[in-house]
Amino acid sequence: MTPEQKTNHLLGEISRTLNVEPALALNSEDNCIFTIDEKFGFILFLDESIEQLLITLPLGLLPDGEAGRDLAVEMLAGNYAWGLTAGATLGLDDETGILSLCHNFDVSEGRGEGFEQLLSDMIGAADYWMDKIEEAGTDDVGPSLSETGIRV
């Protein structure tokens, strides 16, 4: 199977779990964008050359001022040894100001065991950090997925 076929198989499994029709699949640019529970927006990009699926889950915008600096320090500490990220990495897109949780998933081997659990774990971490962003004083969760402009 090609990396694209493997990824589309994984997306088909997620579609069945979420009861989504038609099944999720990569587009012609090797991207797939979808939302779970109307809150957690996933942006997936397949790099076929290295058989890696980059999973990005936007969290919101970094607040301005001292609250933003304090949150950034807290997120950096949470990033340490993946302590509060479910194995993913927290990051800031410096062009858009959007905070995101990112993870690479290797599609080169096997049938993708653990993919569904990875997404579930990322949702748990994202929920935690979205709450922290809200507590830091911003109600603006940022643009919709189609407007993010996040670089993949």
Side-chain angles (χ1 to χ4, degrees):
M1 255 200 270
T2 68
E4 181 180 7
Q5 290 169 325
K6 291 175 187 176
T7 301
N8 282 332
H9 174 77
L10 293 172
L11 291 170
E13 293 293 319
I14 294 298
S15 298
R16 280 187 279 288
T17 298
L18 297 174
N19 209 15
V20 173
E21 287 291 333
L24 298 169
L26 294 171
N27 64 22
S28 62
E29 297 175 344
D30 287 333
N31 292 317
C32 181
I33 299 172
F34 61 95
T35 303
I36 295 177
D37 293 337
E38 298 181 13
K39 180 177 180 180
F40 305 101
F42 285 89
I43 303 169
L44 281 59
F45 171 74
L46 175 64
D47 185 337
E48 290 191 64
S49 67
I50 58 172
E51 299 189 45
Q52 292 287 312
L53 185 63
L54 173 61
I55 305 165
T56 302
L57 202 165
L59 303 172
L61 297 172
L62 183 65
D64 292 327
E66 190 174 329
R69 285 189 300 277
D70 291 347
L71 178 63
V73 169
E74 188 174 352
M75 292 180 98
L76 188 59
N79 232 5
Y80 180 73
W82 308 278
L84 295 173
T85 63
T89 302
L90 290 164
L92 173 69
D93 185 310
D94 62 347
E95 289 182 12
T96 64
I98 296 173
L99 296 162
S100 295
L101 196 59
C102 300
H103 200 292
N104 273 350
F105 187 82
D106 186 353
V107 296
S108 66
E109 297 182 17
R111 296 180 44 87
E113 290 80 11
F115 183 68
E116 192 170 323
Q117 185 62 52
L118 170 63
L119 297 184
S120 178
D121 292 347
M122 287 182 73
I123 286 171
D127 197 38
Y128 174 83
W129 288 111
M130 287 172 159
D131 286 348
K132 290 289 186 180
I133 292 167
E134 187 176 333
E135 288 171 15
T138 181
D139 292 330
D140 187 355
V141 294
S144 69
L145 278 179
S146 61
E147 300 170 328
T148 60
I150 289 181
R151 296 169 287 146
V152 290

